[in-house]
């Protein structure tokens, strides 16, 4: 059973079209090479795919430029040569002209060289400047509003921190006052030791004046003796 004929028209499916192009391109290059070798023909083949990819074949040892030049000689046609320097000069002249026009336009906006401007252009320039000023003021107001919001946010944060600190001080105020009172009422350690050195105790020796004060109810259990003899008793 032979293959059916394929209608020669553009394949709509892009995937099928690409597969068909790859297969037939390979077959075309193969037939071109065979024709060049078998018949000693000089062939130059150039192919551009639908995506712009270049594929070419040239009979060895020739180059594609030589094939194209030979064709031009045979047909009497030549590719026009463009002077790139002339194109650059033309492009430079256009850029200079555009730059000059922009400079003149900017001088109008700065209030310079106003004598040559007609009344209609001055009226239009005034409207454009007023519109620009309105946009500048609007942007300025937006920035000021943003700064104001930032300052308000910082103010709320500081107030919250101040409130937290105040509550902490109120919660610990009694403890702080008690510690301060204890530090103020606490006598010097050297002075306590001097007081204790004036007494001799039978039994347990108190370690501080505070302990001595708590022993007031049991003072009879100790025999207090002065460390220094009583001078009045010694004279009797």
């Amino acid at each position: 059973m032979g293959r059916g004929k394929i209608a020669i028209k553009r394949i709509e499916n892009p995937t099928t079209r690409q597969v068909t192009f790859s297969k037939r391109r390979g077959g075309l290059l193969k037939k071109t090479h065979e024709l060049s070798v078998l018949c000693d023909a000089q062939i130059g083949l150039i192919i551009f795919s639908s995506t712009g990819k270049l594929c070419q074949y040239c009979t060895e040892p020739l180059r594609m430029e030589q094939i194209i030049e030979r064709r031009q000689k045979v047909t009497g046609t030549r590719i026009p040569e463009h002077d790139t320097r002339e194109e650059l000069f033309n492009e430079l002249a256009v850029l200079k002209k555009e730059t000059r026009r922009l400079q003149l336009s900017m001088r109008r906006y700065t209030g310079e060289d106003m004598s040559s401007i007609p009344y209609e252009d001055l009226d239009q320039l005034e409207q454009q400047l007023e519109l620009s000023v309105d946009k500048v003021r609007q942007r300025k107001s937006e920035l000021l509003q943003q700064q104001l919001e930032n300052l308000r946010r910082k103010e709320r944060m500081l107030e919250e921190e101040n409130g937290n600190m105040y509550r902490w001080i109120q919660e610990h105020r009694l403890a702080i006052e008690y510690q301060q009172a204890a530090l103020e009422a606490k006598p010097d350690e050297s002075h306590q030791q001097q007081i204790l050195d004036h007494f001799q105790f039978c039994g347990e020796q108190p370690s501080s004046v505070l302990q001595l004060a708590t022993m007031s109810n049991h003072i009879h259990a100790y025999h207090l003796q002065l460390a220094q003899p009583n001078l009045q008793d010694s004279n009797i």
Side-chain angles (χ1 to χ4, degrees), residues 7 13 23 43 51 62 97 121 141 150 152 154 159 213:
N13 191 311
K23 291 182 178 179
I43 304 175
T51 59
L62 299 177
K97 184 177 179 181
D121 293 345
S141 300
N150 293 334
R152 289 175 178 173
K154 290 181 180 179
E159 289 179 353

Side-chain angles (χ1 to χ4, degrees), residues 104-118:
L104 292 176
S105 177
M106 292 301 298
R107 293 179 64 180
R108 292 183 176 182
Y109 287 102
T110 56
E112 301 177 4
D113 193 15
M114 307 288 290
S115 59
S116 60
I117 304 177

Side-chain angles (χ1 to χ4, degrees), residues 58-75:
C58 183
T59 302
E60 296 180 354
L62 299 177
R63 292 179 293 106
M64 184 61 70
E65 292 81 0
Q66 295 175 333
I67 298 294
I68 295 175
E69 184 178 359
R70 183 174 180 180
R71 176 190 176 278
Q72 292 175 352
K73 290 181 180 180
V74 172
T75 59

Side-chain angles (χ1 to χ4, degrees), residues 2 25 34 41 55 91 98 110 134 163 169 189 211 219 235:
R25 179 191 58 187
E34 292 176 355
C55 181
E91 185 176 357
E98 183 66 18
T110 56
D134 292 338
I169 292 175
E189 294 181 358
Q211 185 177 2
I219 195 64
N235 293 331

Side-chain angles (χ1 to χ4, degrees), residues 13-28:
N13 191 311
T15 304
T16 305
R17 185 168 60 244
Q18 182 63 31
V19 172
T20 303
F21 173 79
S22 300
K23 291 182 178 179
R24 291 186 176 254
R25 179 191 58 187
L28 178 60

Side-chain angles (χ1 to χ4, degrees), residues 172-186 210:
H172 298 79
R173 183 180 61 182
L174 296 178
I176 294 174
E177 292 178 353
Y178 177 78
Q179 292 179 359
Q180 291 178 350
L183 291 175
E184 293 176 355
K186 182 179 180 181
L210 181 62

Side-chain angles (χ1 to χ4, degrees), residues 10-217:
R10 182 177 182 272
I11 301 175
E12 299 298 334
N13 191 311
T15 304
T16 305
R17 185 168 60 244
Q18 182 63 31
V19 172
T20 303
F21 173 79
S22 300
K23 291 182 178 179
R24 291 186 176 254
R25 179 191 58 187
L28 178 60
L29 293 175
K30 180 179 179 182
K31 292 296 182 180
T32 303
H33 176 69
E34 292 176 355
L35 178 61
S36 175
V37 174
L38 293 176
C39 302
D40 193 20
Q42 297 179 357
I43 304 175
L45 176 64
I46 300 177
I47 305 173
F48 285 100
S49 67
S50 59
T51 59
K53 185 177 180 181
L54 171 64
C55 181
Q56 62 182 1
Y57 172 85
C58 183
T59 302
E60 296 180 354
L62 299 177
R63 292 179 293 106
M64 184 61 70
E65 292 81 0
Q66 295 175 333
I67 298 294
I68 295 175
E69 184 178 359
R70 183 174 180 180
R71 176 190 176 278
Q72 292 175 352
K73 290 181 180 180
V74 172
T75 59
T77 59
R78 295 189 62 83
I79 300 176
E81 297 180 359
H82 298 279
D83 190 354
T84 56
R85 292 178 299 177
E86 183 178 358
E87 292 181 356
L88 291 176
F89 287 145
N90 294 333
E91 185 176 357
L92 182 60
V94 173
L95 291 177
K96 287 183 177 179
K97 184 177 179 181
E98 183 66 18
T99 302
R100 179 61 178 171
R101 187 186 66 81
L102 292 176
Q103 289 177 349
L104 292 176
S105 177
M106 292 301 298
R107 293 179 64 180
R108 292 183 176 182
Y109 287 102
T110 56
E112 301 177 4
D113 193 15
M114 307 288 290
S115 59
S116 60
I117 304 177
Y119 177 82
E120 292 77 8
D121 293 345
L122 288 175
D123 185 54
Q124 183 179 2
L125 179 61
E126 182 181 6
Q127 295 178 2
Q128 293 177 355
L129 290 176
E130 289 179 353
L131 181 61
S132 300
V133 171
D134 292 338
K135 291 182 179 180
V136 171
R137 289 174 178 173
Q138 182 179 0
R139 179 55 181 168
K140 183 179 178 181
S141 300
E142 292 177 358
L143 293 178
L144 291 176
Q145 187 67 24
Q146 291 178 3
Q147 294 178 1
L148 183 60
E149 291 294 333
N150 293 334
L151 292 176
R152 289 175 178 173
R153 184 162 52 252
K154 290 181 180 179
E155 182 182 4
R156 289 193 296 268
M157 293 175 60
L158 292 176
E159 289 179 353
E160 184 177 357
E161 291 180 0
N162 189 20
N164 294 334
M165 186 177 297
Y166 178 78
R167 286 191 295 271
W168 185 87
I169 292 175
Q170 292 297 326
E171 293 174 357
H172 298 79
R173 183 180 61 182
L174 296 178
I176 294 174
E177 292 178 353
Y178 177 78
Q179 292 179 359
Q180 291 178 350
L183 291 175
E184 293 176 355
K186 182 179 180 181
D188 187 28
E189 294 181 358
S190 59
H191 182 63
Q192 292 183 10
Q193 189 64 36
Q194 292 177 3
I195 296 174
L196 294 177
D197 291 341
H198 284 77
F199 299 94
Q200 294 182 355
F201 297 90
C202 295
E204 182 181 359
Q205 179 76 13
S207 58
S208 63
V209 176
L210 181 62
Q211 185 177 2
L212 178 62
T214 59
M215 296 169 57
S216 59
N217 296 329

